[in-house]
Amino acid sequence: MTMILEKDAREDLLDRGYSRRTIGRISALMAAGAAANSLLIQPASAQQQAARGIAGAVRIGSNECWTGPFEPGVQAAAKAAALGNWYDPDNYRGDLIATVARVEGIPESHVMLWPGSGGPLVSTVAAYCSPTKGLVTADPTFESAWRTADYLKAPIAKAPQAIGKGHDVKGMLAANPNAGLYYICSPNNPTGTVTPLADIEWLLANKPKDSILLVDEAYIHFSEAQSAAKLVAGRNDLIVMRTFSKLFGMAGVRLGLTFADPEIQKRIGLFGPTAGGLSITAMACGNAVYPEAGLIKARRQEMIANREETIAWLGKKGLAVQPGSQANMFMVDWKKPAREMQAALLATPEKVQIGRNWPIWPTVSRVTVGSADDMAKFRSAVEKITKA
């Protein structure tokens, strides 16, 4: 199915230099909605293994949380489900926006709801990149922005990220001083490293005035790093993106957020579905869990303990782990092809499903931090394959 883009969106794309044929491709991408990745991801066995759960496996491959939503969220979702015969039984959307705005200290007008965070990322690339205004990211980082820009034939520039560091913002600007969109993932996926707020502010001050900076904070709740959220008020060149898929344990519930000036939100919305695609159960669950600072802190501390125990153990075994992760993942350098190690771990009796590698580091695997039991099984499996 092809979505018929609104006239404003079609005219906007034509003004940016897209051909009518490419506009048709963009329509197909937007119509795919949550399934957009099926158009963007090239077949790759390692990618598919990490992204899809394998029955009976220890699932520490795709940065999902090891447990589900906090209990208040489960209760709120169940209560909302009982009213599922109505399209709009209550002000779920408004309540969630008000809660998020209060917690973040930003205007309600600057909060938009999405069914997950993959959609707004794709839509932002479509909204601000063009055949002449490209995308700039770190390398490695979350690849959905790359895939979307490539699909749309927009130029892509990548600034290598130093091991253990955040994004090289000066290197990003130098990679393309005239880009349409600069993308920072902090904490970064796959490295878990944080880009300091001061560096984000530097890029905002030095990038082209007509470009957009997108800061993806999908993993921010696993970290105590400063958020860029409070910077959005009074700016028309910054988007901060969040998701409930990670620490909140709601990956299958599908709920995401963007923080930005209302005019930016309107522009992103031209290229993808927003709150109209959200269920009342998702919004009720999100509204219940977002203010739970104590539960968030406890889950963060549980993850940190599991991560640090495993990293220390790997170090004693002589396996190099990249430093600096502040998220629910870390990077292990096996000093041999990472795909081989991924397959070997899955073949152990523990059946451990870890993440994949990025092309820039072919011997390095991303490992998601799971429960204490998950990580004990990971260590046991590593023990077996390194002794073999």
Side-chain angles (χ1 to χ4, degrees), residues 9-341:
R10 296 196 307 272
E11 291 179 349
D12 180 90
L13 291 165
L14 287 170
D15 288 344
R16 283 187 280 144
Y18 282 112
S19 68
R20 295 189 183 278
R21 180 177 180 180
T22 304
I23 291 173
R25 289 170 60 82
I26 295 172
S27 296
L29 184 65
M30 297 305 108
N37 277 351
S38 65
L39 293 176
L40 300 176
I41 297 176
Q42 298 299 316
S45 59
Q47 163 73 13
Q48 296 306 315
Q49 185 196 107
R52 295 177 181 172
I54 296 174
V58 176
R59 295 175 60 171
I60 53 173
S62 54
N63 292 350
E64 296 156 310
C65 192
W66 63 91
T67 189
F70 297 127
E71 185 58 29
V74 174
Q75 293 177 9
K79 184 177 179 181
L83 301 174
N85 55 309
W86 304 109
Y87 286 116
D88 186 16
D90 209 340
N91 188 29
Y92 288 97
R93 180 179 183 277
D95 289 346
L96 176 54
I97 287 174
T99 295
V100 170
R102 183 178 70 253
V103 171
E104 299 299 337
I106 59 177
E108 291 185 23
S109 60
H110 285 54
V111 179
M112 182 176 281
L113 311 182
W114 297 79
S117 61
L121 178 52
V122 169
S123 298
T124 300
V125 175
Y128 291 102
C129 291
S130 73
T132 58
K133 293 284 188 177
L135 168 73
V136 179
T137 76
D139 187 13
T141 195
F142 184 51
E143 294 162 313
S144 184
W146 296 348
R147 296 187 186 110
T148 306
D150 181 64
Y151 181 84
L152 301 179
K153 309 302 180 187
I156 302 170
K158 303 174 185 179
Q161 179 169 295
I163 292 174
K165 302 294 184 181
H167 290 28
D168 176 4
V169 293
K170 293 182 180 179
M172 290 176 66
L173 185 59
N176 184 347
N178 194 36
L181 179 65
Y182 295 86
Y183 172 68
I184 289 177
C185 186
S186 181
N188 188 33
N189 178 11
T191 63
T193 51
V194 166
T195 300
L197 187 61
D199 288 355
I200 291 171
E201 292 175 317
W202 183 92
L203 187 55
L204 279 170
N206 289 277
K207 68 173 183 58
K209 298 300 182 184
D210 61 348
S211 69
I212 293 290
L213 173 59
L214 172 59
V215 181
D216 183 347
E217 294 186 342
Y219 300 92
I220 194 71
H221 290 97
F222 281 120
S223 168
E224 294 184 353
Q226 287 182 286
S227 167
K230 287 185 172 62
L231 300 180
V232 299
R235 299 200 70 102
N236 62 359
D237 60 352
L238 174 64
I239 303 166
V240 176
M241 190 166 69
R242 295 279 184 85
T243 184
F244 288 78
S245 296
K246 306 306 175 183
L247 181 139
F248 291 107
M250 294 169 57
V253 178
R254 310 312 303 140
L255 185 61
L257 303 164
T258 51
F259 306 149
D261 180 88
E263 288 303 310
I264 291 180
Q265 303 279 30
K266 181 179 178 181
R267 184 180 175 94
I268 304 169
L270 289 174
F271 301 98
T274 55
L278 288 172
S279 70
I280 60 172
T281 51
M283 291 185 284
C285 186
N287 188 48
V289 301
Y290 207 78
E292 290 286 354
L295 295 176
I296 291 169
K297 181 179 179 180
R299 186 169 287 184
R300 180 193 305 130
Q301 293 305 117
E302 181 181 355
M303 184 281 298
I304 291 172
N306 295 343
R307 184 187 68 204
E308 296 310 304
E309 179 183 13
T310 300
I311 289 174
W313 182 89
L314 290 166
K316 291 177 182 177
K317 294 295 178 181
L319 291 167
V321 177
Q322 293 185 357
S325 176
Q326 295 187 39
N328 64 327
M329 68 195 92
F330 54 87
M331 304 292 280
V332 183
D333 190 348
W334 307 105
K335 306 299 183 183
K336 60 178 67 177
R339 289 189 180 190
E340 293 179 9
M341 300 301 288

